[in-house]
Amino acid sequence: MNVSIAKEIAQRVVRLAELAATFTAVYGKNYHMTAESPARAWEQYQEIMAEQAHIAGLLDIDALGTAHSRYGEWWKRHDVMDSAIVNELAIEVFNLIGRCAYMETNGARTNSALVVERSIAGILHPATRQTALENASNLIRKAV
């Protein structure tokens, strides 16, 4: 992980914040997705999941495989990531940027960024982590 990638993750979290707030504004807090949900709700849900998958794809594969859920498994309580969870994600991402900047400046080789990446991965929906792992695996197969 480096500062550039960490900043890209932060930009994705900004987009995720917008998507989650928009979804909640339209459908309310704790909305449950059903077969009868409007098509637009499903489109927004897919956008939120896709953004999480993109963030997961920027994390170290080891972090995805050893994700640590510090904030609880929100997906067991809610169908859609809400703004409170996005805020926790943002805090972790800013922590990651700081750690990466420190490591790059001092040439440090530690696992401190990986620890934060595991926390970030633990906030993301497990299906999005799995998508990122599968995409990485497919890229590795194609490269060989």
Side-chain angles (χ1 to χ4, degrees):
M1 179 61 59
N2 61 44
V3 172
S4 178
I5 295 171
K7 287 168 59 177
E8 183 178 348
I9 292 170
Q11 290 173 337
R12 293 290 179 168
V13 172
V14 168
R15 176 71 177 134
L16 188 56
E18 178 185 2
L19 292 170
T22 301
F23 187 94
T24 301
V26 174
Y27 301 104
K29 191 173 174 111
N30 300 323
Y31 182 82
H32 291 287
M33 301 300 296
T34 67
E36 290 79 33
S37 293
R40 183 63 187 136
W42 279 106
E43 290 169 11
Q44 288 179 308
Y45 171 82
Q46 291 300 328
E47 287 179 64
I48 291 167
M49 293 295 280
E51 200 62 49
Q52 290 179 72
H54 194 91
I55 292 167
L58 295 169
L59 298 173
D60 189 289
I61 292 174
D62 290 338
L64 295 174
T66 57
H68 175 69
S69 182
R70 290 180 45 191
Y71 302 100
E73 298 173 331
W74 62 265
W75 49 88
K76 291 183 177 177
R77 298 181 306 275
H78 308 286
D79 291 343
V80 181
M81 181 183 271
D82 66 14
S83 294
I85 298 299
V86 175
N87 288 340
E88 297 300 335
L89 182 60
I91 290 167
E92 293 296 334
V93 171
F94 287 136
N95 188 11
L96 180 63
I97 292 169
R99 287 187 188 216
C100 289
Y102 182 89
M103 290 183 331
E104 286 180 16
T105 300
N106 289 319
R109 300 277 180 228
T110 69
N111 286 338
S112 66
L114 185 58
V115 170
V116 178
E117 286 184 74
R118 287 180 178 137
S119 290
I120 292 168
I123 295 171
L124 302 174
H125 193 286
T128 65
R129 294 193 308 256
Q130 186 61 39
T131 297
L133 284 169
E134 290 169 3
N135 289 342
S137 178
N138 290 337
L139 287 174
I140 291 169
R141 278 191 217 119
K142 288 179 182 179
V144 174

